Amino acid sequence: MSNADNACEHRRTAMVWALRVILGAVFIVSGLAKSVDLWGTVYKIEEYLGVWGMTEPRTLTVVVATGLCGGEFLLGALLLLGCYRRAVVWLMGALMAFMLPLSLWLWIADPVPDCGCFGDFLVISNRATFWKNVAIVGGIALLWRSNSKTAGVITPYCQWMAAAALTVYILIVAMAGYNIQPEIDFRRFPQGTQLLTDDSAEEDDEEVTYTFIYSKGGEQREFSADNLPDSTWTFVDRKLMSGTEDTRDGFVILEDGEDITHDVINAEGEQMLVVVPEIARVNPSHTYAINTLDRYMTARGGTLTALLAPDRRGIDYWDDISMADYPVYTAEPTMLKELVRGTIGLVYLRDGRVVWKRTLSSTDMSLFENPDNAKALKESAPATDLLLRYLSLTLALVLAAIIAVDRTGWFIHRGWQRRRRRGQKSPVKSDKIAQD
């Protein structure tokens, strides 16, 4: 091979690896950010379905969301490692054949505020999303022929082990985030957030009013807080009509346009918030656990408060199915979903500050059956952030071990081939010497 050919080959290899790193990183970040907060991806898919006038079972939506997020992460990681070099590019191309027209439609029609391609980790405009996808398609086109010709970090003999490790990792991340809470909270009210604004905010008597946007059968309509539609409509967004709202520093609960947050959230002491963003999806059997929590918090001198999303069933319906002795209020659905994920979420506050949050279904209720168990609240704090760290460290060690085994086998194979070649040449030389 000439020097010019060598230089051309080096440039091609450098281009392939640059594209592998860039595109792989984009897919990894996109897939991981959405897998960490699988609830957010489910909500976004349901938002799209609402625009298209479709309703699907939540279980099916969760399966689709898991496959989409996990698939993006897996494709990005395999591309970065140089595994399944031909299949990965084809699958990425097939995915972008759907995503590119979708992002163009989002830019033109603007049916949803953002595409959700990076979850809540990075919110970009629909226009930026389209051009981002154009750049990705261009990169895939450049890799179409060249990727399979450039060796990866792991040889084809061991690439299945890397794929298996990556699949197990992303599934555990997604299921932990869905069943407990996202391992990384990209939303506005993470752990440590003070839900109460400063007292100066209460001196502002300017009335805050909203309209709420719902969709049904592809149609979107606006409703006032006093005239919300029934459960056949899907909530899309809300619009601030008058007044001002600063949601960066505090949580906002409205009643008839009036901010009652300081009446609901305790500035001092312990408080458990039971957050129900979708009453229609609540199983009445869960209310027994909530009443157990209420008795525990009362015995400790704390309080329990329920926050429901506006629904035609309303507070009276909740009182009927739960036999609640605790106060119940309504709050804007999107804000409730940002505060905590889950069909029923728990948020433990101390002096109005978020200490921990998790889903009710993941909580060990036996801890709260004894009011004298002072450690129940501490032991209920989830450690999903530590789970992500340990999982990621374990994945890195497993991949390093796979690469080490793979490289060791490769060196042994190469050494065996050289030895065989030397062994095949030896008899020839011996015959030649004998003839001389």
Side-chain angles (χ1 to χ4, degrees):
M1 186 179 290
S2 64
N3 292 334
D5 291 336
N6 281 330
C8 183
E9 181 66 19
H10 288 319
R11 285 195 298 269
R12 183 187 65 80
T13 301
M15 179 200 71
V16 169
W17 273 107
L19 290 172
R20 282 178 179 176
V21 171
I22 295 171
L23 294 182
V26 170
F27 273 76
I28 289 172
V29 171
S30 176
L32 184 59
K34 294 199 290 286
S35 295
V36 162
D37 183 14
L38 194 63
W39 273 104
T41 308
V42 169
Y43 291 144
K44 181 59 67 174
I45 292 176
E46 291 179 342
E47 188 175 345
Y48 280 110
L49 294 176
V51 171
W52 296 330
M54 301 170 60
T55 56
E56 300 295 338
R58 172 62 63 80
T59 303
L60 178 60
T61 308
V62 172
V63 172
V64 172
T66 305
L68 176 63
C69 304
E72 284 189 35
F73 173 83
L74 189 60
L75 287 175
L78 291 176
L79 179 68
L80 190 62
L81 293 172
C83 298
Y84 300 102
R85 300 191 295 265
R86 191 183 303 275
V88 164
V89 175
W90 275 92
L91 290 172
M92 281 186 168
L95 180 62
M96 296 311 300
F98 172 77
M99 291 298 182
L100 184 61
L102 177 63
S103 60
L104 178 60
W105 172 70
L106 289 175
W107 181 19
I108 296 173
D110 196 29
V112 296
D114 68 274
C115 72
C117 52
F118 293 103
D120 287 325
F121 167 68
L122 178 62
V123 178
I124 59 178
S125 67
N126 290 333
R127 176 181 178 179
T129 298
F130 171 73
W131 289 113
K132 182 252 313 175
N133 287 344
V134 169
I136 290 176
V137 170
I140 292 173
L142 292 174
L143 283 176
W144 202 267
R145 290 181 177 275
S146 302
N147 192 55
S148 60
K149 300 176 182 178
T150 303
V153 177
I154 301 175
T155 65
Y157 299 102
C158 295
Q159 60 189 7
W160 67 270
M161 290 188 285
L166 291 165
T167 301
V168 171
Y169 168 83
I170 200 63
L171 286 178
I172 295 176
V173 168
M175 289 301 98
Y178 183 80
N179 291 309
I180 305 174
Q181 276 307 283
E183 291 90 340
I184 305 175
D185 197 343
F186 299 117
R187 293 156 291 154
R188 290 181 290 173
F189 311 108
Q191 181 177 328
T193 300
Q194 173 59 253
L195 295 188
L196 291 172
T197 55
D198 57 30
D199 294 335
S200 61
E202 295 186 293
E203 299 176 0
D204 186 3
D205 295 330
E206 185 178 14
E207 184 178 4
V208 181
T209 58
Y210 297 85
T211 60
F212 299 90
I213 304 171
Y214 284 77
S215 67
K216 179 180 179 180
E219 174 192 6
Q220 287 193 357
R221 288 172 58 184
E222 296 183 3
F223 298 87
S224 66
D226 299 326
N227 186 32
L228 295 174
D230 59 35
S231 60
T232 61
W233 291 76
T234 302
F235 177 80
V236 176
D237 201 1
R238 72 172 181 175
K239 291 168 58 178
L240 181 67
M241 302 303 295
S242 65
T244 58
E245 176 191 53
D246 186 358
T247 57
R248 293 170 298 174
D249 299 323
F251 189 70
V252 178
I253 302 174
L254 300 173
E255 186 173 79
D256 298 327
E258 181 183 355
D259 187 347
I260 61 169
T261 310
H262 283 262
D263 297 327
V264 177
I265 306 299
N266 298 337
E268 297 181 355
E270 295 180 322
Q271 184 176 19
M272 184 73 73
L273 297 182
V274 177
V275 180
V276 185
E278 299 170 291
I279 300 179
R281 297 184 181 275
V282 172
N283 188 327
S285 64
H286 293 153
T287 60
Y288 173 80
I290 298 173
N291 290 330
T292 300
L293 275 173
D294 180 38
R295 289 190 293 270
Y296 180 85
M297 294 299 297
T298 302
R300 285 178 59 87
T303 61
L304 183 142
T305 304
L307 298 178
L308 314 179
D311 187 276
R312 65 183 177 87
R313 295 169 176 80
I315 295 177
D316 292 337
Y317 171 79
W318 181 261
D319 287 337
D320 289 339
I321 68 170
S322 66
M323 297 178 288
D325 292 329
Y326 46 84
V328 182
Y329 301 92
T330 59
E332 193 269 313
T334 300
M335 191 167 290
L336 293 181
K337 292 176 180 178
E338 286 189 280
L339 176 62
V340 62
R341 298 304 199 195
T343 304
I344 302 179
L346 301 179
V347 183
Y348 172 54
L349 307 178
R350 188 181 296 121
D351 299 333
R353 191 176 300 276
V354 177
V355 179
W356 56 256
K357 45 188 174 178
R358 66 184 307 152
T359 59
L360 177 65
S361 59
S362 68
T363 306
D364 183 3
M365 295 309 303
S366 64
L367 296 173
F368 299 96
E369 292 177 354
N370 180 9
D372 297 328
N373 184 5
K375 297 181 179 181
L377 290 169
K378 183 178 180 180
E379 293 176 357
S380 296
T384 50
D385 56 336
L386 293 177
L387 173 65
L388 182 63
R389 293 178 195 175
Y390 290 139
L391 278 175
S392 300
L393 177 60
T394 301
L395 176 65
L397 293 175
V398 169
L399 290 177
I402 292 172
I403 293 172
V405 171
D406 183 53
R407 293 289 103 181
T408 301
W410 182 81
F411 282 122
I412 293 174
H413 179 69
R414 288 291 299 272
W416 178 255
Q417 283 186 328
R418 285 196 295 267
R419 184 175 180 181
R420 287 185 61 186
R421 283 196 294 268
R422 285 196 297 267
Q424 290 173 354
K425 293 178 181 179
S426 297
V428 176
K429 293 181 179 178
S430 300
D431 292 345
K432 200 170 184 181
I433 293 172
Q435 291 175 3
D436 292 341

